[in-house]
Amino acid sequence: MKYIDEYRDPQLARNLLAGIRRVTTRSWTIMEICGGQTHSIIRNGIDQLLPDTIELVHGPGCPVCVTPLEAIERALVIAAEKEVIFASFGDMLRVPGSSMDLFMVRSRGGDVRIVFSPLDALQIARDNPKKEVVFFAVGFETTAPANAMAVWQAQREGVENFSVLVSQVMVPPAMRAILSSSGNRVQGFLAAGHVCAVMGYEEYEPVAKEFHVPIVPTGFEPVDLLVGILATVEQLEAGRAEVVNRYARVVSREGNRAAKETIREVFEVIDRQWRGIGMIPASGLGLREAYARFDAEKKFNVSHICASESPHCMSGRVLQGALKPDGCPAFAKECTPEHPLGATMVSSEGACAAYYNYHRNFTP
């Protein structure tokens, strides 16, 4: 299949690995932001094939993982309401709250439905005018255009029984937070190709310049990742810190202008809590006042709900690249996919799930 098979070519991968070994003269720490990239790296053993001098650490680019615990708790309360149909992407249903998850709410009679698009949830609202339909709008910039479009369309049609519980976050502020931390070791980034497909990569240029770190947008196949690593190492070895696009078949500098305009129409930038990390200023999106009546937090009066993380869960350190999953004492012991302490163990993009599913550094 074009743009798939050729990016899994074993000989091309071996050539790229040889190129990485050839240019590497020092030790470097590189963070892949995206959880999808993390899974591809661990599944294909890319981190184990690299020179010992190159360490890959895993970033916070898993939308399920960084959705704050209080947002999960608010979702659980809303979903349990008798007259509510709660719609969500499937990977949110097993994310643990303080004492339960959305699957448990459904098992107790809550009308919790899996959808593949926020527009599916809007259609449910059209079909069920006597029910309140709430969509759990989580994610990075990749999901923001569709979530914004659903709200825009609901307002255009006057669908008053539709609302969204918003937990939208953005990548560049998280990168700044990581680079500004006292214990930061990250010297270069692989940027998430799908985020850049929406937003472009020009917003990364000030980050690269301010912190003197190379940032390389790349894809998710093994060859994509190796091309991105090579481009990052070449910059590090040369003392350069630029944004170099290595996903040109998908990403442009300006991104998708129509998608960005839709985001700006419906959402505004706000401070946002990140699960396991805390508050990152100007890192999230919230509904603008013109669309406030579609805000489920306000409609159901759940903004006051707060929650505390398990003291045994170290997912916050994993999300910041400060700890590998197998370095957590609870990994694969007290914390498993069947009994997770944190979202990084159950999300399809979580680093802990990647290490567990591919049996990295432990025997199940």
Side-chain angles (χ1 to χ4, degrees):
M1 183 183 297
K2 188 170 176 60
Y3 296 143
I4 295 293
D5 289 347
E6 62 266 46
Y7 290 92
R8 297 176 181 174
D9 182 87
Q11 187 56 54
L12 185 52
R14 284 191 284 269
N15 293 343
L16 287 163
L17 283 164
I20 292 168
R21 294 189 191 99
R22 191 163 50 247
V23 301
T24 303
T25 64
R26 296 170 54 189
S27 295
W28 303 109
T29 301
I30 300 169
M31 173 179 279
E32 83 279 356
I33 283 287
C34 177
Q37 292 174 334
T38 299
H39 274 250
S40 184
I41 286 166
I42 303 303
R43 181 174 63 248
N44 293 288
I46 290 173
D47 57 328
Q48 296 180 324
L49 296 170
L50 293 171
D52 292 340
T53 49
I54 296 178
E55 180 183 7
L56 298 182
V57 295
H58 319 308
C62 164
V64 174
C65 302
V66 301
T67 301
L69 187 57
E70 52 260 42
I72 304 298
E73 294 295 320
R74 292 164 189 168
L76 295 171
V77 169
I78 295 170
E81 291 280 343
K82 186 177 180 180
E83 298 303 319
V84 166
I85 298 173
F86 194 88
S88 172
F89 296 136
D91 54 1
M92 291 302 302
L93 269 64
R94 290 205 59 238
V95 178
S98 298
S99 59
M100 66 173 67
D101 57 30
L102 285 166
F103 266 129
M104 294 178 67
V105 172
R106 187 160 74 172
S107 72
R108 297 178 183 185
D111 193 346
V112 178
R113 305 186 189 183
I114 295 173
V115 295
F116 297 98
S117 164
L119 294 173
D120 293 341
L122 180 58
Q123 185 59 48
I124 294 173
R126 296 188 190 104
D127 295 340
N128 296 269
K130 295 183 179 180
K131 292 276 191 175
E132 285 289 337
V133 177
V134 180
F135 176 71
F136 204 177
V138 305
F140 285 88
E141 294 94 331
T142 43
T143 62
N147 291 341
M149 179 56 68
V151 173
W152 182 87
Q153 190 70 24
Q155 175 157 286
R156 181 171 177 266
E157 296 179 19
V159 183
E160 298 296 335
N161 65 320
F162 176 77
S163 59
V164 288
L165 181 62
V166 181
S167 186
Q168 294 277 176
V169 290
M170 299 184 293
V171 173
M175 296 171 72
R176 288 180 177 276
I178 289 167
L179 292 168
S180 300
S181 67
S182 58
N184 172 58
R185 298 189 300 118
V186 177
Q187 296 165 292
F189 285 99
L190 302 182
H194 51 1
V195 171
C196 295
V198 174
M199 303 302 293
Y201 59 83
E202 58 187 332
E203 62 181 357
Y204 295 112
E205 292 170 346
V207 179
K209 183 177 181 180
E210 178 181 351
F211 294 94
H212 197 72
V213 292
I215 301 173
V216 179
T218 191
F220 306 87
E221 298 299 332
V223 169
D224 282 319
L225 291 161
L226 289 169
V227 167
I229 293 166
L230 177 58
T232 306
V233 174
E234 286 175 337
Q235 286 200 67
L236 289 167
E237 290 282 343
R240 302 198 317 273
E242 302 166 358
V243 180
V244 176
N245 182 20
R246 287 294 179 264
Y247 203 32
R249 68 185 187 275
V250 175
V251 171
S252 64
R253 183 174 183 271
E254 66 276 7
N256 186 319
R257 293 179 180 175
K260 292 196 292 186
E261 288 173 5
T262 302
I263 294 171
R264 285 193 292 266
E265 164 65 24
V266 175
F267 291 120
E268 62 184 355
V269 176
I270 62 171
D271 299 341
R272 181 69 78 184
Q273 287 281 347
W274 293 53
R275 186 167 190 170
I277 299 175
M279 179 68 73
I280 300 180
S283 66
L285 298 170
L287 291 174
R288 292 188 180 276
E289 185 60 34
Y291 297 90
R293 71 178 184 274
F294 298 102
D295 188 337
E297 278 193 30
K298 296 178 180 177
K299 183 177 282 191
F300 293 91
N301 192 28
V302 293
S303 300
H304 64 284
I305 294 176
C306 297
S308 299
E309 291 282 356
S310 165
H312 303 293
C313 182
M314 296 188 177
S315 60
R317 294 189 64 201
V318 172
L319 290 166
Q320 296 174 76
L323 180 73
K324 298 289 179 68
D326 56 346
C328 173
F331 174 76
K333 300 179 181 71
E334 294 90 351
C335 184
T336 66
E338 292 75 26
H339 302 284
L341 292 177
T344 49
M345 182 56 87
V346 296
S347 169
S348 61
E349 296 186 16
C352 297
Y355 274 60
Y356 191 95
N357 291 340
Y358 305 115
H359 301 170
R360 178 59 58 85
N361 299 336
F362 87 106
T363 302

